[in-house]
Amino acid sequence: MASLLLKKMSNKVSVFVTFNIFLVFCTQNTMIRTVHANSKVHIVYMGEKHHHDPEVVTSLHHDMLASVFGCKEAAYDSMVYSYKHGFSGFAAKVTESQAQKIAELPGVIRVMPSHFYSLQTTRSWDYLGLSPSSPTNLLHDTNLGDGIVIGLLDTGIWPESKVFNDEGLGPIPNQWKGQCVSGESFNASADCNKKLIGAKWYIDGFLAENKQPFNTTDSPDFLSPRDVFGHGTHTSTIAGGSFVYNASYRGLGLGSVRGGAPRARLAMYKVCWNVPRGQCSSADILKAFDDAIHDGVDVISVSLGTQLPLFSEVDDRDTISIGSFHAVAKGIPVVCGAANEGPSAYTVENTAPWILTVAATTIDRSFPTPITLGNNLTILGQAIFAGKEVGFTGLVYPENPGLIPSLAGVCESLLLNNTPVAGNVVLCFTTVASRTPVATAVSSVRAAGGVGVIVAKSPGDVLGPCSNEFPCIEVDYELGTQILFYIRSTRSPTVKLSPSATLVGKPVSTKVATFSSRGPNSIAPAILKPDIAAPGVSILAGSSPYDSFMDGGFALHSGTSMATPHVSGIVALLKALHSNWSPAAIRSALVTTAWKTDPFGEPIFAEGSPQKVANPFDYGGGLVNPNKAADPGLIYDMGTEDYIKYLCAVGYNTSAISQLVGQTTACSMVKPSVLDVNLPSITIPNLRENITLTRSVTNVGPVNSVYKANIDPPPGISVAVRPETLVFNSTIKTIPFTVAVSTTHQVNTGYYFGSLTWTDGEHLVTSPISVRTQIIQYYTDGN
């Protein structure tokens, strides 16, 4: 009878009173239910927390579980995590039927099974204009990021790396409330310092769900913040590592190593574990977000991703999206990788509009490696080879008799039975863009006694050394074909392989990496993703001794995992310079000031088949330009209210949004347009009739400023801005404007690209425009 009366009361009262009554009876029941063998980890998401005391929040979570299990002891056994700082919820091992009962409890937004995420895997800072030798740049204006705390969700950290020395650093920032946690081979008091001020590890969710053998001889790991992969050490170095001078790698002098904010402090939240591809439990990730928000980090860097297809915007299983929403709502920018599924379209991940999503580019460095043929023709390939020169020796290409003789020369499936390999260099061809065919070919050729491999493949820039100074040199198909023709034209072809050189600056061009995931956004095409691009190819940084590519404490790695901490380091500098800027303001500053060419004024190309000039779906606003972002002139700002409008526009229901933001929220009767989200970009995926969208800009430059619009419309698209002139003064700091867009195309088209630039003669505030005409609509939203 009491429970019937309680249902008429508010949800909050119902939760507390019902559980209190139940627990009285529970203590009198001697029969305790245990966690069932078929239990799996589920995340119970409850949105914003309703009590400031974390212990009260956790107690509520235990009571909720106890109401389902029948006793509090079983609830304690089942609980994996209580999320009690940045938001409310918990992870627990429950059966499907128990999960259903929890989902029906008051205050629960969603119950979802935990799943796994995977990893997305110097010169770059000078290339971006942040050289410490320059007397005026963002690096010096912010005292190298001193006082800022960068939190990273990753594979852990190798604290002995030179890049984590705390020489010259002052006291730990006052806002820091986190800690270092000891564990296996990790002593918190000895391994942390004034640079590495936080180190925690999260494995309960992983252990509860992992079906693979863990911590084996082949895949060792530490039950502590210590890093086996090297991935977390590498990303930490890029974001905020200290100065290490005269670093070299495999005999190649590559200069100094440091992070983007070398005086910033680092906090590592180890959420990924050493199983194939690196697995990271969503339950662990959400707990790490919760702790990072509580600990006082200033920026969160996440080089992780899920698999395609993505979870929808109304599906809370995207725990990176959930955790980042709460971080951003509390003023903490979250930077994530776009993923490594390129160059195909619609492969970009981490697409929520509150996340800053990063694509990967090359830098102005290459490793030309001479290949000298017996006819004295020298061809320059690409390799990381610092071993002894391979003097003139035999050069062979595997060919079998039959209708398809070239099958024997495919790198990933070499057939060497009819080819004299011992003592010779082998040429092979592959159509696969990854490093796998290279590794496979090297293994086969070495096993057969060969002394080197030349791999002909589609152009790409992801290089890695081959073990034990074994030369594996990459060339494109054109050069590979020249080498093949030479082999076929002479009775005894020979070749000499020389060590690699390091070439920096012109004429090396910048390209969006082949692997870097591309837009459009597959969830909400009107939200441009990626947002920005940064260096992510052959990046030198600290690593773990367990990393097979490490040499002298450093390793060269490629991926949007490496691009992400570049932007995280820059965000740290911007936070130091503009402490009152919102995450959206920082994103706007980066997007609107980005380079559309490389720093030398040359076009940025996007690798793929074929190579093309990069567009916003390859690199968002462009290549990040840190010094310009420090003084953008205008910003497109957003806050929680703007994200609420976005959530309404894409279909979240009112109750879920209210729980997420922690206050009663109602979507307007007229569904808002996703085109009106105040992004620093304009993307129209389905233009048929004339449309008008709105934006507003806030002046962060000189108080009295006048900006005029400069439009570069996409081909066949008309773009008109009203007003065309924006006048700011001491009382007018934010001005809205409208953009009217129409098309002259009479057929369905692909995307065309243009831009809208506001300028006061000094600042160029540029928003990319992407428009696709859809005369025939392939779907409707029911409106």
Side-chain angles (χ1 to χ4, degrees):
M1 185 66 178
S3 62
L4 292 175
L5 293 174
L6 288 170
K7 289 182 179 178
K8 297 180 180 179
M9 305 171 72
S10 69
N11 283 351
K12 188 173 181 181
V13 173
S14 175
V15 170
F16 281 107
V17 176
T18 301
F19 294 154
N20 286 338
I21 291 174
F22 169 79
L23 289 174
V24 170
F25 293 112
C26 177
T27 58
Q28 298 172 358
N29 190 342
T30 58
M31 183 176 179
I32 300 175
R33 302 180 189 177
T34 59
V35 177
H36 196 277
N38 292 330
S39 298
K40 295 182 180 296
V41 176
H42 286 68
I43 296 172
V44 179
Y45 179 61
M46 302 176 66
E48 191 71 14
K49 58 190 177 74
H50 293 282
H51 201 287
H52 295 296
D53 186 341
E55 298 309 314
V56 173
V57 177
T58 297
S59 179
L60 170 61
H61 298 159
H62 281 129
D63 291 349
M64 294 178 70
L65 263 181
S67 73
V68 173
F69 275 98
C71 209
K72 202 162 187 175
E73 289 85 347
Y76 277 109
D77 291 341
S78 168
M79 183 78 75
V80 177
Y81 291 118
S82 173
Y83 308 127
K84 56 190 177 183
H85 297 301
F87 45 88
S88 179
F90 57 89
K93 293 191 73 173
V94 295
T95 64
E96 290 297 328
S97 62
Q98 290 167 337
Q100 181 59 42
K101 291 178 181 178
I102 294 172
E104 296 169 356
L105 292 175
V108 173
I109 294 177
R110 185 179 178 88
V111 179
M112 57 272 193
S114 179
H115 60 280
F116 289 111
Y117 285 77
S118 57
L119 304 171
Q120 296 173 326
T121 243
T122 158
R123 169 61 192 170
S124 57
W125 293 114
D126 293 348
Y127 171 70
L128 295 176
L130 292 181
S131 171
S133 62
S134 173
T136 56
N137 60 25
L138 178 60
L139 198 63
H140 293 289
D141 292 344
T142 60
N143 193 22
L144 286 69
D146 196 11
I148 298 299
V149 181
I150 303 172
L152 300 102
L153 276 60
D154 217 297
T155 65
I157 200 157
W158 195 264
E160 291 83 5
S161 176
K162 298 175 184 178
V163 297
F164 304 127
N165 76 80
D166 62 356
E167 182 179 348
L169 291 179
I172 292 172
N174 291 332
Q175 83 270 19
W176 180 245
K177 296 183 290 184
Q179 58 183 324
C180 284
V181 179
S182 294
E184 184 181 0
S185 299
F186 191 94
N187 184 309
S189 59
D191 291 329
C192 287
N193 55 19
K194 290 184 288 186
K195 163 61 73 172
L196 178 61
I197 64 173
K200 298 180 180 179
W201 48 293
Y202 305 83
I203 196 170
D204 291 350
F206 172 83
L207 290 179
E209 286 298 301
N210 180 49
K211 305 301 181 185
Q212 308 176 61
F214 174 65
N215 206 10
T216 64
T217 302
D218 294 331
S219 300
D221 210 330
F222 297 97
L223 295 176
S224 74
R226 186 168 290 279
D227 183 15
V228 169
F229 266 102
H231 189 275
T233 303
H234 204 271
T235 57
S236 299
T237 303
I238 297 168
S242 300
F243 284 94
V244 177
Y245 296 97
N246 300 318
S248 66
Y249 181 72
R250 307 276 180 172
L252 299 173
L254 299 178
S256 65
V257 171
R258 66 172 176 87
R263 293 181 68 87
R265 316 308 169 95
L266 298 171
M268 172 56 64
Y269 300 86
K270 180 177 177 179
V271 296
C272 301
W273 299 91
N274 191 18
V275 292
R277 288 199 69 195
Q279 295 294 311
C280 329
S281 163
S282 57
D284 295 337
I285 290 171
L286 203 55
K287 181 59 178 173
F289 265 112
D290 187 38
D291 281 355
I293 293 169
H294 166 266
D295 291 346
V297 303
D298 295 292
V299 56
I300 297 176
S301 187
V302 185
S303 292
L304 312 175
T306 183
Q307 290 81 36
L308 298 170
L310 304 177
F311 295 119
S312 74
E313 288 284 354
V314 294
D315 192 324
D316 297 320
R317 283 175 288 184
D318 187 350
T319 50
I320 291 179
S321 178
I322 294 171
S324 62
F325 179 91
H326 289 281
V328 168
K330 292 171 176 60
I332 305 170
V334 178
V335 187
C336 294
N340 300 330
E341 304 298 331
S344 297
Y346 294 101
T347 53
V348 64
E349 300 176 13
N350 295 314
T351 58
W354 45 85
I355 292 175
L356 182 50
T357 309
V358 186
T361 70
T362 64
I363 59 174
D364 61 338
R365 180 175 64 198
S366 69
F367 303 98
T369 308
I371 301 169
T372 305
L373 303 179
N375 61 3
N376 290 323
L377 175 67
T378 297
I379 291 172
L380 289 180
Q382 288 285 315
I384 298 176
F385 170 51
K388 295 181 180 180
E389 179 179 272
V390 177
F392 278 105
T393 189
L395 174 63
V396 297
Y397 171 69
E399 288 188 276
N400 279 349
L403 294 177
I404 313 178
S406 60
L407 281 179
V410 176
C411 296
E412 56 268 36
S413 56
L414 284 174
L415 299 175
L416 302 176
N417 295 339
N418 299 319
T419 303
V421 176
N424 292 331
V425 173
V426 176
L427 170 70
C428 65
F429 287 74
T430 182
T431 58
V432 179
S434 72
R435 289 277 302 169
T436 301
V438 180
T440 302
V442 167
S443 177
S444 299
V445 172
R446 290 192 64 179
V451 297
V453 175
I454 300 172
V455 177
K457 57 184 294 189
S458 296
D461 295 279
V462 178
L463 297 174
C466 295
S467 58
N468 298 326
E469 308 301 336
F470 187 88
C472 53
I473 306 173
E474 297 183 18
V475 296
D476 63 22
Y477 284 127
E478 179 182 347
L479 296 177
T481 301
Q482 288 188 37
I483 296 172
L484 177 59
F485 284 0
Y486 162 70
I487 293 173
R488 289 172 171 172
S489 68
T490 184
R491 183 182 299 273
S492 300
T494 58
V495 67
K496 179 175 69 174
L497 305 181
S498 302
S500 305
T502 303
L503 180 63
V504 173
K506 296 179 180 179
V508 182
S509 63
T510 300
K511 297 179 285 292
V512 177
T514 306
F515 60 77
S516 186
S517 288
R518 310 297 212 265
N521 181 340
S522 62
I523 294 176
I527 306 298
L528 177 64
K529 292 291 176 175
D531 294 294
I532 197 74
V537 175
S538 297
I539 304 299
L540 184 68
S543 192
S544 159
Y546 287 81
D547 181 354
S548 61
F549 293 103
M550 193 186 84
D551 179 66
F554 303 100
L556 281 175
H557 284 304
S558 300
T560 54
S561 284
M562 285 67 245
T564 298
H566 274 92
V567 174
S568 300
I570 295 167
V571 170
L573 298 178
L574 293 175
K575 286 279 284 187
L577 186 66
H578 301 291
S579 59
N580 62 332
W581 276 13
S582 69
I586 291 174
R587 187 251 303 275
S588 174
L590 294 171
V591 171
T592 61
T593 61
W595 279 300
K596 309 303 182 294
T597 63
D598 72 9
F600 307 114
E602 297 294 332
I604 296 176
F605 283 84
E607 290 282 23
S609 296
Q611 188 182 90
K612 64 181 179 65
V613 175
N615 63 51
F617 294 143
D618 301 312
Y619 62 12
L623 175 64
V624 65
N625 186 342
N627 294 314
K628 288 293 185 181
D631 180 24
L634 304 177
I635 57 169
Y636 293 81
D637 207 357
M638 288 198 291
T640 301
E641 290 300 318
D642 298 280
Y643 298 127
I644 290 173
K645 291 179 181 178
Y646 166 76
L647 294 168
C648 291
V650 297
Y652 262 103
N653 63 62
T654 299
S655 61
I657 296 173
S658 298
Q659 293 283 358
L660 181 66
V661 302
Q663 62 189 35
T664 302
T665 303
C667 295
S668 61
M669 294 297 293
V670 178
K671 185 178 180 181
S673 171
V674 70
L675 299 178
D676 291 331
V677 177
N678 201 41
L679 295 169
S681 57
I682 296 172
T683 307
I684 305 174
N686 296 294
L687 179 62
R688 178 172 51 177
E689 301 173 344
N690 298 353
I691 64 167
T692 299
L693 53 91
T694 62
R695 291 287 188 275
S696 66
V697 286
T698 300
N699 181 24
V700 293
V703 173
N704 297 306
S705 299
V706 178
Y707 283 82
K708 295 184 179 297
N710 183 7
I711 301 169
D712 177 19
I717 304 296
S718 174
V719 180
V721 177
R722 296 291 183 272
E724 296 179 335
T725 301
L726 306 178
V727 181
F728 297 93
N729 54 42
S730 58
T731 58
I732 301 176
K733 298 181 179 180
T734 300
I735 299 177
F737 62 90
T738 62
V739 182
V741 184
S742 59
T743 180
T744 60
H745 296 292
Q746 298 181 19
V747 298
N748 286 12
T749 70
Y751 279 93
Y752 290 104
F753 305 99
S755 63
L756 164 63
T757 301
W758 292 103
T759 180
D760 62 352
E762 178 181 354
H763 300 92
L764 296 173
V765 187
T766 301
S767 294
I769 299 176
S770 311
V771 181
R772 179 177 63 183
T773 299
Q774 291 281 274
I775 303 301
I776 299 175
Q777 298 286 337
Y778 292 102
Y779 66 91
T780 62
D781 61 6
N783 294 331

